[in-house]
Every structure is written in structure tokens, then in C-alpha cells.
Amino acid sequence: MPIVTRRQTATALVGGVPVGSAHPIVVQSMTNTDTADAAATALQVADLARAGSRLVRVTVNNDEAARAVPEIASRLADMGVSVPIIGDFHYNGHLLLTKYPAAAKTLAKYRINPGNVGGKRRDENFRTIIQIALDNDKPVRIGVNWGSLDQDLLTNLMDGNARASEQRTAKEVYIEAMLQSALRSAAIAEETGLAHDRIIISPKRALVQKESSRARPRSRFCCPKELGTPSAFP
């Protein structure tokens, strides 16, 4: 059996749980309840924690869900369950985190795909999320996949590939776009003030393989990585 060598990364603390570097791989699970139902969500979070999940992710997709986050944490404390809660945001994360500071304070990590936070103002909205993370001392998971790519970036790469003498496949261009998108988002986060050890990258597996094949010792991909399958419990 071949020996697998883990790449050295920074260590990110998520609610006190170390992620990355030589630390053991951490299991993060997600709920499939309506997050606005604080009682049901707290019970499912507790079940997942007792089953071995070190981190548990909940969807924060609307006002009701954001308002419920502190109550979920309170119910877990009453049950004697201590597990970091991860907020899964999509198109309106910058709005919800701004509007509900108690939720922003309670969550242990903000999970976002920068390409999904608001069309032409996505960079501005992404910086808003990063600033809130700074204000609350929270790490941010930056995700990149086929569905959340910067379409302008993808179009430019596709156009450049069409003009190239040696053209790559569409899949190869997509993977390159995801790589550039992830690196760009990490750079924006750091420029805004987020420390390197507060950034977690969540790429597609093919992107990890591509980046791992490059001799770039100072790559921003020395951030810890979050990999997995988006399936809900149970």
C-alpha cells in the first residue's frame, strides 16, 4: 500500500476544534431540518455530535433561520452538548450576517461560495462577510464548484482557450477556472484582513489533484481543506 503524505497546512480553529496540518481529519455533518425549527434542529445537531461529528453545519438561508441560530445553541447547551455550529450561506449571507449579529456571533464558521453572493457586487458582498468574520473572530470556508464559478472568469478562460494553438478540454478549463477563483477569493479575504489560518478552502477533488501536482510551496492552497459529499442526515 502506498504511503500517503499529507501536505503541511496552516491550522484553523473552528470553535476550538483544530482543522488541518497534522491534526486528525475532522468529520463535519449537516442537518436536514428546517433551521427555523430550533427544537428539531438542536435535537438533530445533538444526534450528529453524539454519533461522532466534531462540527455540524446548518443552513442559514432566510431571516427565520438566522433568528433561530442563538436558540439552537442555547438548546444544545441545555442538553449538555458542545459542538461548533457552522452556518451554510448562499446568495444572501452578507445580508443575514449583517442583519442578525447574534447569529454571526454564535456560529463557529461561515460557509460560503463567493461566486454566489450577489452578481456584479459579489466582491463587495464577499468583503462584507469577511469583515463580519473579522469582527467576530470567525474562520471562513471558501467553496468553489461548477455551480458557483465567476462566469466572467470562466468566459475569459474559455475564449482564451479557443484562441490557443493547443486547446485544452472544457473540463480542464473549468478546473483551471475553479483554481483561479479559489485563489482569488482567498487573496481578497487576506487583503481585507482575514488571517491565513482563518481560511478553509473547499474545492472539488479534481481541483485538489491539479493543485497538488504543481510545485508551488507558497501556494495559498496550504490553507486547510474541506472535502466531502453533500448528503444530509439521516
Side-chain angles (χ1 to χ4, degrees):
M1 179 180 295
I3 298 175
V4 177
T5 302
R6 291 178 63 179
R7 175 179 287 193
Q8 187 70 27
T9 73
T11 296
L13 290 177
V14 181
V17 176
V19 176
S21 192
H23 298 287
I25 293 172
V26 172
V27 174
Q28 174 180 292
S29 300
M30 63 179 289
T31 59
N32 64 359
T33 56
D34 178 356
T35 307
D37 186 341
T41 301
L43 286 173
Q44 196 172 93
V45 171
D47 286 344
L48 288 165
R50 291 167 181 147
S53 290
R54 299 288 307 280
L55 308 170
V56 179
R57 155 186 156 199
V58 302
T59 297
V60 185
N61 59 336
N62 55 35
D63 292 79
E64 293 75 19
R67 277 196 295 264
V69 167
E71 182 182 348
I72 292 168
S74 178
R75 286 176 176 271
L76 287 168
D78 290 343
M79 288 186 278
V81 176
S82 177
V83 61
I85 302 173
I86 313 306
D88 186 5
F89 296 94
H90 292 279
Y91 303 97
N92 57 353
H94 57 295
L95 299 174
L96 294 174
L97 286 167
T98 300
K99 188 175 181 180
Y100 297 98
K105 182 178 180 180
T106 300
L107 294 167
K109 180 179 74 178
Y110 307 154
R111 182 183 186 276
I112 58 174
N113 287 0
N116 282 346
V117 288
K120 293 182 178 180
R121 299 182 66 181
R122 58 180 169 267
D123 287 353
E124 177 185 343
N125 296 339
F126 177 53
R127 287 189 176 92
T128 296
I129 293 173
I130 297 302
Q131 186 59 56
I132 295 171
L134 284 166
D135 293 343
N136 290 278
D137 193 24
K138 307 294 182 180
V140 173
R141 171 270 197 192
I142 295 173
V144 57
N145 55 38
W146 312 118
S148 60
L149 274 175
D150 179 337
Q151 292 304 304
D152 293 335
L153 170 63
L154 179 59
T155 297
N156 288 337
L157 289 177
M158 285 291 191
D159 289 346
N161 187 55
R163 294 190 298 267
S165 57
E166 295 184 11
Q167 295 184 3
R168 294 175 291 177
T169 66
K171 181 178 180 180
E172 288 173 331
V173 176
Y174 265 97
I175 291 173
E176 180 62 27
M178 285 195 295
L179 174 61
Q180 291 192 24
S181 179
L183 294 175
R184 181 177 181 275
S185 295
I188 291 174
E190 290 189 335
E191 289 165 6
T192 307
L194 195 65
H196 193 65
D197 62 359
R198 304 304 274 165
I199 300 171
I200 298 173
I201 299 288
S202 180
K204 299 288 272 188
R205 186 175 64 178
L207 182 55
V208 175
Q209 292 170 338
K210 178 181 178 67
E211 172 60 17
S212 296
S213 70
R214 295 189 175 187
R216 300 206 299 177
R218 294 182 62 82
S219 167
R220 293 182 187 273
F221 266 58
C222 66
C223 297
K225 298 181 183 65
E226 176 184 306
L227 301 173
T229 55
S231 57
F233 171 89

